[in-house]
Amino acid sequence: VGIGAQRDASDNQSVLATLSLPVAQRHWVQFSGGQTRVEQDAAPHRATVLGAGVGTLGDGWLAALNATHRRDGERFRQTDWLATLEWRGDLADIGLDGSYRDARRQGTAVPTGSQRLKGAGLGIHGGVKLGERTRLYGSAMRYRLRSDDATSTPPSLVQALTSQSPLVARDELALRRSLMAGASHRFDGVVVSAEYLGDKLLNTPG
């Protein structure tokens, strides 16, 4: 069981609880639930988050599939699928990630009344152990998201999901690409980690 909570100075916040259950010796199921509250002017909403996933562990490999659905009534809906295949060694691991998103938004913030954003992503992740207590890890992902109304005037769904979006709602951002690099060190009874995130939003040049 895991519980995570985030809040920033603008009163944007997220709370998420996760429950993982073993199935036999090498399989598991996972369930999650929570809420995100975004107070930005472009797309204020309070979304309920529900998720489920399955996974299996083989001899030197791991495979998992997860789905997450976010909804704020009829105003905002987003479904994300994430598949992972990972090869594991004694000192290092490397894996492939694939994602698919289908997001919809309705209301006065969208000039056409409703708009849809969908597309897939492909990435890679990995990690290496430095001794018994330290690990370096990282990931990179490239997305191909598209809107059903690319010619709409602001604010469009793409802008609503990217303009001044808070970090607590990072999983709702419309990204072009993302990078992550991190390190962790295990002390007696506690693990300390630090991560760097580098995201490129869909509606930004470059």
Side-chain angles (χ1 to χ4, degrees):
V1 178
I3 299 177
Q6 291 180 311
R7 183 171 182 170
D8 62 19
S10 300
D11 205 27
N12 302 300
Q13 63 184 27
S14 68
V15 178
L16 185 67
T18 303
L19 173 64
S20 297
L21 300 173
V23 180
Q25 292 184 345
R26 296 197 170 195
H27 314 286
W28 72 88
V29 295
Q30 180 174 286
F31 304 96
S32 60
Q35 188 180 76
T36 60
R37 186 175 71 184
V38 178
E39 301 294 345
Q40 66 188 53
D41 293 336
H45 65 270
R46 181 174 298 184
T48 300
V49 183
L50 296 175
V54 295
T56 184
L57 181 65
D59 294 329
W61 61 273
L62 175 150
L65 177 65
N66 293 277
T68 304
H69 182 70
R70 302 168 184 270
R71 179 171 180 173
D72 180 11
E74 298 299 322
R75 299 172 55 197
F76 171 71
R77 297 184 184 183
Q78 177 179 307
T79 301
D80 291 291
W81 293 86
L82 178 63
T84 297
L85 180 60
E86 184 176 290
W87 292 267
R88 294 185 161 190
D90 294 334
L91 298 178
D93 56 80
I94 189 170
L96 297 175
D97 303 301
S99 68
Y100 182 80
R101 170 172 296 181
D102 189 347
R104 300 170 185 264
R105 179 167 174 80
Q106 296 181 349
T108 57
V110 179
T112 59
S114 66
Q115 198 169 31
R116 184 177 183 181
L117 184 73
K118 61 181 179 179
L122 184 64
I124 188 173
H125 70 270
V128 59
K129 295 180 180 179
L130 301 179
E132 295 293 330
R133 294 174 176 263
T134 304
R135 182 173 182 267
L136 304 179
Y137 54 92
S139 65
M141 198 85 170
R142 179 82 177 186
Y143 302 91
R144 290 187 176 274
L145 300 175
R146 60 190 183 279
S147 170
D148 61 1
D149 187 4
T151 61
S152 64
T153 57
S156 68
L157 176 60
V158 174
Q159 290 167 324
L161 292 175
T162 56
S163 300
Q164 300 179 347
S165 297
L167 182 62
V168 298
R170 182 174 180 264
D171 291 337
E172 299 176 9
L173 295 181
L175 299 178
R176 178 182 299 179
R177 63 178 181 266
S178 64
L179 297 172
M180 185 273 290
S184 64
H185 185 81
R186 178 170 53 85
F187 297 93
D188 293 335
V190 65
V191 175
V192 178
S193 62
E195 294 182 351
Y196 167 81
L197 301 175
D199 296 331
K200 177 67 70 171
L201 299 178
L202 184 63
N203 66 341
T204 56

